Amino acid sequence: MAGEQKHPSSTALTEEQAARMLAGMNEVIRAGEEMRRLRAEMIKVFTDLGWTQERIARLTGMSQPAVSKQVVKHREAGPPQPMDLALGQVDPPWLEGRLWAVAEDIAETYGAAARCARAVDVLARHRKRFTPENTDALRRLVEEDLRRYGGELAAHRAAYDEISRALDVPSQATGTPPGPASVRRTLAHRLQLDRLRGGDEPPAGP
């Protein structure tokens, strides 16, 4: 079998150079795949909330037949597990989503001056995952901003203290809350942002 052809050149591209060029592209591709999976999971949540396929199609920008296909697959998988939308849940993905929201709102308020601004930007671009190490790093940055801006962030401080206590003392509750971690993190992020910006928390239960 013939080997790789070699073309001698003073400007040959090295494997390391190619890897660096492709790294950013691969991140975008992975983020796109992850977002498609997350959207499919969110369609399940909307379906379980009783939303119509027309409404889901309008919000997701998908065709109604595509939504219908997702809904049918979900229904064939069995009866839904009601998802609790109360803000004060204590499983790690939910707490991570709330922490992300607190950091994001601080970053939007203070811009590049916020210590957590760069970390929030990386998370928004889906270039960093929520590992325990990354979560701890984000907590430290948020704590720095809370110390710097003091009374201007009273609501953020209250939310952060609640999140921090729950992360430091893991819940002893048995069983796994319904929904994939990515969905729970996304929901908690949105609900916490709305709360910080003056929105209402949805009622608990289905």
Side-chain angles (χ1 to χ4, degrees), residues 24-200:
M25 301 178 202
N26 291 337
E27 286 179 353
V28 172
I29 291 169
R30 281 194 295 270
E33 292 173 348
E34 289 173 2
M35 285 299 99
R36 282 191 289 273
R37 286 195 293 269
L38 177 57
R39 184 176 64 177
E41 293 294 342
M42 293 304 299
I43 288 172
K44 296 178 184 178
V45 174
F46 300 149
T47 300
D48 293 343
L49 290 172
W51 291 12
T52 65
Q53 293 181 23
E54 180 182 4
R55 185 182 186 188
I56 296 172
R58 185 176 71 253
L59 291 171
T60 58
M62 297 171 65
S63 68
Q64 196 158 333
V67 170
S68 180
K69 184 177 180 181
Q70 295 276 0
V71 170
V72 169
K73 286 172 59 178
H74 176 47
R75 287 176 176 163
E76 288 176 348
Q81 290 182 285
M83 186 172 288
D84 186 358
L85 297 181
L87 195 58
Q89 299 179 69
V90 293
D91 57 292
W94 193 269
L95 295 168
E96 290 162 357
R98 293 186 64 192
L99 175 65
W100 177 15
V102 171
E104 182 174 312
D105 204 54
I106 293 173
E108 289 190 5
T109 301
Y110 297 99
R115 292 285 291 117
C116 63
R118 187 175 181 279
V120 167
D121 182 63
V122 171
L123 287 171
R125 296 173 186 272
H126 305 285
R127 291 182 176 174
K128 184 177 287 188
R129 298 176 183 276
F130 274 94
T131 63
E133 294 75 19
N134 290 338
T135 299
D136 285 343
L138 184 59
R139 288 177 66 182
R140 288 192 293 271
L141 294 171
V142 170
E143 286 170 359
E144 287 186 43
D145 284 325
L146 290 172
R147 285 194 295 270
R148 290 173 69 193
Y149 300 111
E152 299 173 25
L153 296 172
H156 300 72
R157 165 59 73 182
Y160 176 77
D161 286 347
E162 182 180 314
I163 295 163
S164 186
R165 284 193 299 270
L167 286 169
D168 287 338
V169 184
S171 170
Q172 300 301 313
T174 58
T176 303
S182 59
V183 171
R184 296 187 60 75
R185 192 177 292 115
T186 299
L187 285 169
H189 171 258
R190 183 69 260 167
L191 295 173
Q192 181 66 73
L193 269 181
D194 289 345
R195 173 61 67 86
L196 290 170
R197 296 170 182 177
D200 294 326

